[in-house]
Amino acid sequence: MPDRQAPFEIAGETVPAGTRRALTLDLPGQSAYTPLSMPIYVVHGRTAGPTLFLSAAIHGDEITGIDVIRRVLRTKALARMRGTLICAPIVNVFGYSNHTRYLPDRRDLNRSFPGSATGSLAARVAHVFITEVVRRASHGIDLHSGANNRTNLPHIRADLDDPETERLARAFGTPIAINANLRDGSLRHAARDLGVPILLYEAGEALRFDPLASRAGVRGVLGVMRALAMLPPEKKRKTPEVIEAVASAWVRAPCSGLLHSSVALGARVEKGGALGLVGDAFGEADATVTSPYTGIVVGRTNLPVVNEGDALYHIARFNDSAGVESALETWQQDHIEGLTLADYVEPDLN
């Protein structure tokens, strides 16, 4: 018989084995009359196992991850879960409340980790999250979406040189994984320093829901939980092929004007191939935007009005971009075929 878990201690509360609990973490208020707290939800299984944290809205306007966590928490499979799941759907409560990426001090929370109990507002929020959540976890998944007016193809960004992180990236199951450099002050950097393997899921656009991005996120989280033996293995579904990108970079606007795009998110592009045109309002001066190499469009702007130097297309490069294109088509078809109207309003509980 598996060992029954001891109660889980967090936020000054005790969560008994085999129970679920909604809790809050106190945050610095903006005045004595506006106390704020970070909502967290703990699912503590009956038997011992890993502790996985899920975080979303570290950038307050990136709400795709909130939907992913909501759907995960309503998944029936959690009734058989081993270990502990800590969910923090709205880490940046300040930004979320104001529909903005940043905190009131205009700092980026994802450049403020591990934080400090006596530092700036951003540093204090980061310190609360690291102390109460990350230090209690064995693994993590941080859920993001494209910045304002940009859309990202569902993909994983992680330290793929670490064997455990690379294993979990493959278990997540998006066809594309990017071996992304760790940035100072990021949650990924702070988690790595604490010995916590972490994945960053990118999908969709800020302040928008995308059913495909949400569904892929839910499947990915459950895939990681199965790889960690927190959930029983799924026999009927084969894990999609995951291909690591060699490099990725943004293609920027050569001039200011109106962008007319000619490639879609997920499209394969050839080196020197046209991605779009930037023209003036009179139709007399068009500048072609070209790809610096053969690859896959994993991110793009949604704004037609652009300024010189604006990021337009995020191109990921592979050793076999044709193989990636085929894997993407199979993956998208698998996800899109199962989408129903219910996916736009209610979670998939399968």
Side-chain angles (χ1 to χ4, degrees):
M1 288 286 292
D3 293 335
R4 185 176 177 85
Q5 294 212 94
F8 190 71
E9 306 287 339
I10 187 170
E13 301 283 346
T14 300
V15 184
T19 65
R20 302 159 67 117
R21 182 80 61 83
L23 304 167
T24 57
L25 301 176
D26 290 339
L27 296 173
Q30 292 181 275
S31 76
Y33 307 104
T34 56
L36 288 174
S37 58
M38 183 190 305
I40 60 171
Y41 198 97
V42 176
V43 183
H44 193 42
R46 286 186 169 83
T47 54
T51 299
L52 173 69
F53 79 80
L54 305 180
S55 57
I58 280 182
H59 295 135
D61 57 356
E62 297 181 9
I63 63 174
T64 296
I66 302 174
D67 193 44
V68 170
I69 290 176
R70 171 179 175 268
R71 292 170 184 250
V72 167
L73 287 173
R74 297 190 62 183
T75 302
K76 296 174 183 177
L78 294 191
R80 297 170 289 163
M81 192 191 81
R82 295 175 62 247
T84 305
L85 181 67
I86 311 172
C87 297
I90 309 172
V91 179
N92 183 355
V93 177
F94 303 88
Y96 172 79
S97 299
N98 292 288
H99 302 171
T100 181
R101 178 182 183 90
Y102 302 106
L103 288 150
D105 59 3
R106 296 298 299 167
R107 283 181 168 86
D108 184 336
L109 183 57
N110 209 25
R111 298 294 179 269
S112 304
F113 290 99
S116 164
T118 58
S120 66
L121 175 61
R124 294 177 189 225
V125 173
H127 176 74
V128 169
F129 188 71
I130 289 290
T131 303
E132 291 287 351
V133 176
V134 180
R135 289 185 181 276
R136 286 178 164 83
S138 59
H139 302 79
I141 304 176
D142 189 24
L143 305 164
H144 286 255
S145 55
N148 219 7
N149 300 309
R150 293 183 193 168
T151 302
N152 283 335
L153 185 76
H155 67 275
I156 286 293
R157 302 176 69 85
D159 177 12
L160 301 179
D161 295 327
D162 174 63
E164 177 68 355
T165 305
E166 194 261 352
R167 180 178 79 92
L168 298 183
R170 295 192 178 279
F172 197 97
T174 58
I176 293 174
I178 297 176
N179 193 358
N181 293 330
L182 293 169
R183 295 192 177 186
D184 289 344
S186 68
L187 176 58
R188 286 203 303 127
H189 196 296
R192 194 278 307 270
D193 288 348
L194 292 172
V196 178
I198 182 172
L199 303 179
L200 190 153
Y201 175 60
E202 284 279 7
E205 179 187 358
L207 297 176
R208 299 285 187 275
F209 279 154
D210 180 335
L212 176 61
S214 291
R215 188 170 199 190
V218 173
R219 286 188 178 182
V221 169
L222 297 181
V224 169
M225 293 180 74
R226 293 187 182 98
L228 293 172
M230 296 176 72
L231 294 176
E234 188 179 35
K235 297 178 181 179
K236 63 181 180 180
R237 186 178 298 279
K238 181 181 178 182
T239 302
E241 181 183 12
V242 179
I243 304 173
E244 181 181 339
V246 175
S248 72
W250 279 93
V251 179
R252 298 185 177 275
C255 58
S256 301
L258 299 171
L259 172 67
H260 297 271
S261 231
S262 56
V263 294
L265 201 64
R268 179 172 179 260
V269 295
E270 298 290 338
K271 181 178 180 179
L275 303 174
L277 293 174
V278 178
D280 62 20
F282 306 107
E284 295 180 352
D286 290 336
T288 302
V289 183
T290 60
S291 178
Y293 42 68
T294 298
I296 302 291
V297 180
V298 296
R300 52 162 287 178
T301 182
N302 293 325
L303 284 177
V305 180
V306 300
N307 294 313
E308 183 176 346
D310 282 354
L312 304 183
Y313 303 94
H314 190 192
I315 312 294
R317 182 159 51 94
F318 302 85
N319 290 326
D320 177 19
S321 58
V324 179
E325 183 180 35
S326 176
L328 265 175
E329 289 175 356
T330 301
W331 176 85
Q332 288 178 322
Q333 190 63 33
D334 177 47
H335 282 70
I336 292 170
E337 274 184 352
L339 283 175
T340 66
L341 179 61
D343 285 289
Y344 288 78
V345 288
E346 284 299 324
D348 177 2
L349 300 181
N350 295 324

